[in-house]
């Protein structure tokens, strides 16, 4: 099974909206992976742009292509894309064996 790590930046004042959007993504993806988590890294208060880096983690994916299709269909309606500053980066990791 594989894992997907998605990371991006957003403004601190958009946390509630972003959390709701990610919850919609997780709800849609639930049948396709065993565990989903949202992690956030707080930048220091003196950082000029005041952006947070968030990471969505999708673990033990049953079908990578189905998950990709699910996220592509769900992401536009979730509202998350309008909150992100810069790119939404995705990286898949697969077992070595």
């Amino acid at each position: 099974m594989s894992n997907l790590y998605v990371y991006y930046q957003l403004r601190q004042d958009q946390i509630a909206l972003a959390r709701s959007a990610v919850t919609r993504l997780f709800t849609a993806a639930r049948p396709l992976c065993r565990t989903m988590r949202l992690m956030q890294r707080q930048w220091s208060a003196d950082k000029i742009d005041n952006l947070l880096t968030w990471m969505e983690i999708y673990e033990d994916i049953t079908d990578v292509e189905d998950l990709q299709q699910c996220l592509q269909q769900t992401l536009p309606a979730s509202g998350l894309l309008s909150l992100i500053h810069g790119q939404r980066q995705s990286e898949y990791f697969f077992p070595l064996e």
Side-chain angles (χ1 to χ4, degrees), residues 63-78:
D63 188 311
V64 170
E65 289 180 19
D66 285 350
L67 180 62
Q68 285 176 330
Q69 184 177 16
C70 173
L71 294 177
Q72 286 174 355
Q73 291 174 348
T74 308
L75 189 58
S78 74

Side-chain angles (χ1 to χ4, degrees), residues 6-7 26 76 85 95-96:
V6 181
Y7 54 94
F26 283 176
H85 290 261
L96 291 175

Side-chain angles (χ1 to χ4, degrees), residues 1 3 6 9 20 24 29 44 49-50 62 67 76 82 88 92 95:
M1 298 215 176
N3 298 327
V6 181
Q9 291 187 321
S20 294
R24 288 190 282 279
S44 63
D49 58 15
N50 201 28
T62 56
L67 180 62
S82 66
R88 185 174 186 268
Y92 284 91

Side-chain angles (χ1 to χ4, degrees), residues 11-76:
R11 288 194 336 250
Q12 191 166 359
D13 63 343
Q14 296 177 318
I15 289 176
L17 292 171
R19 189 164 288 162
S20 294
V22 171
T23 298
R24 288 190 282 279
L25 293 177
F26 283 176
T27 299
R30 186 167 312 282
L32 302 170
C33 45
R34 195 169 299 168
T35 306
M36 293 164 290
R37 296 183 285 144
L38 176 64
M39 300 181 74
Q40 158 185 322
R41 182 175 76 196
Q42 174 71 45
W43 288 106
S44 63
D46 62 334
K47 185 153 175 74
I48 294 171
D49 58 15
N50 201 28
L51 295 176
L52 303 173
T53 299
W54 277 26
M55 180 177 287
E56 301 163 28
I57 302 172
Y58 301 83
E59 296 176 313
D60 296 330
I61 299 166
T62 56
D63 188 311
V64 170
E65 289 180 19
D66 285 350
L67 180 62
Q68 285 176 330
Q69 184 177 16
C70 173
L71 294 177
Q72 286 174 355
Q73 291 174 348
T74 308
L75 189 58

